[in-house]
Amino acid sequence: MDQKELKRLVGQAALAYVKPGEILGVGTGSTVDCFIDALKESGIEVPACVSSSVRSTKKLQDYGFRVLDLNEVDRISVYVDGADEIDPQFCMIKGGGGALTREKIVAMVSDTFVCIADESKKVQVLGAFPLPIEVIPMAVRAVSREIEKLGGHPVLRDFTTDNGNKILDVHGWQLADARAWEEKLNQIVGVVTVGLFARRGADVLLLGTQEGVKTMLA
Ligand code: 5RP
């Protein structure tokens, strides 16, 4: 099976976690696109979704799903999203698609985070995938200098986030203590969101492998 097929399989598997009649949190990315396709085909009754990006909102609305602003919702039972890397503690690097800030916010208010990923995303130590950091535009150079002091090599992405900010993709870090890194990087003034999901990692991992979908619990 190729990567695309593995993404399709985990997107399908995530349907088992959708609670009919409850508001659903929906992430962003090509794996989540497969999940949205499967959700549409399943016919499961979802009263509304909260989405983590303009991209996912558009796809959901095109399929006829109602999408609510998070300010209209107090609680989400299940949030389904992908990852760029996930470690054995279910800490993740996210933000390859640039939606890290809204993803982190929706994840925060969700009871259960279901991560859907193909097996290439499972790593022992986070960091081979460059860490996305969303930054206030005027602070790009200042934040870059702080990152360099910590041994990272920031590369400015040619992209503006849904929130009007910029993204630095940071190469060269091995993020063994992901939680400590998340806290340290959060302290840099000008940083909006660090694409490390350690304090709020995944609760369930649906991993697409050549042997089928493996379900792992945190
Ligand atoms: C977007 C994300 C995605 O979840 C992550 O980039 C994985 O994407 P894909 O499913 O396309 O591999 O964090 O900001």
Side-chain angles (χ1 to χ4, degrees):
M1 281 181 279
D2 62 10
Q3 193 183 32
K4 205 172 160 194
E5 178 61 9
L6 295 178
K7 290 181 180 194
R8 200 191 60 75
L9 279 184
V10 291
Q12 185 76 34
L15 293 177
Y17 291 84
V18 176
K19 299 196 173 158
E22 294 194 16
I23 292 168
L24 175 68
V26 178
T28 301
S30 56
T31 317
V32 166
D33 283 347
C34 294
F35 168 66
I36 297 172
D37 291 339
L39 186 66
K40 167 70 178 164
E41 277 190 19
S42 74
I44 297 173
E45 195 265 317
V46 173
C49 301
V50 172
S51 152
S52 70
S53 63
V54 171
R55 166 184 165 164
S56 289
T57 295
K58 183 171 184 322
K59 189 169 172 74
L60 287 162
Q61 288 176 334
D62 285 350
Y63 278 159
F65 290 104
R66 184 167 172 237
V67 180
L68 294 178
D69 185 284
L70 184 59
N71 288 308
E72 300 174 86
V73 173
D74 292 327
R75 177 185 157 264
I76 296 169
S77 54
V78 175
Y79 177 54
V80 178
D81 199 359
D84 298 301
E85 285 185 346
I86 182 161
D87 77 6
Q89 286 73 45
F90 289 10
C91 300
M92 295 166 284
I93 286 183
K94 292 184 47 54
L100 60 161
T101 297
R102 296 187 188 196
E103 291 174 340
K104 212 174 236 195
I105 295 168
V106 182
M108 175 180 72
V109 302
S110 298
D111 296 339
T112 304
F113 187 135
V114 178
C115 177
I116 50 176
D118 66 84
E119 58 195 348
S120 70
K121 310 289 184 67
K122 187 92 171 59
V123 299
Q124 277 306 309
V125 178
L126 300 173
F129 190 94
L131 178 67
I133 300 184
E134 183 164 346
V135 176
I136 297 287
M138 72 168 285
V140 161
R141 289 188 62 185
V143 171
S144 295
R145 285 193 292 272
E146 295 304 310
I147 288 170
E148 279 161 5
K149 284 183 203 162
L150 296 170
H153 307 294
V155 175
L156 181 62
R157 198 186 296 185
D158 184 14
F159 176 80
T160 299
T161 69
D162 289 347
N163 315 306
N165 297 316
K166 303 308 289 182
I167 288 189
L168 292 168
D169 291 306
V170 185
H171 299 246
W173 279 334
Q174 289 267 300
L175 304 163
D177 189 348
R179 202 177 168 120
W181 273 101
E182 184 178 13
E183 275 162 23
K184 181 162 41 182
L185 296 169
N186 275 337
Q187 303 304 317
I188 301 174
V189 177
V191 166
V192 176
T193 302
V194 176
L196 259 180
F197 286 54
R199 200 169 56 171
R200 205 288 178 250
D203 301 300
V204 179
L205 169 61
L206 300 177
L207 193 70
T209 76
Q210 295 304 323
E211 293 78 48
V213 176
K214 290 188 182 160
T215 302
M216 300 175 204
L217 303 179

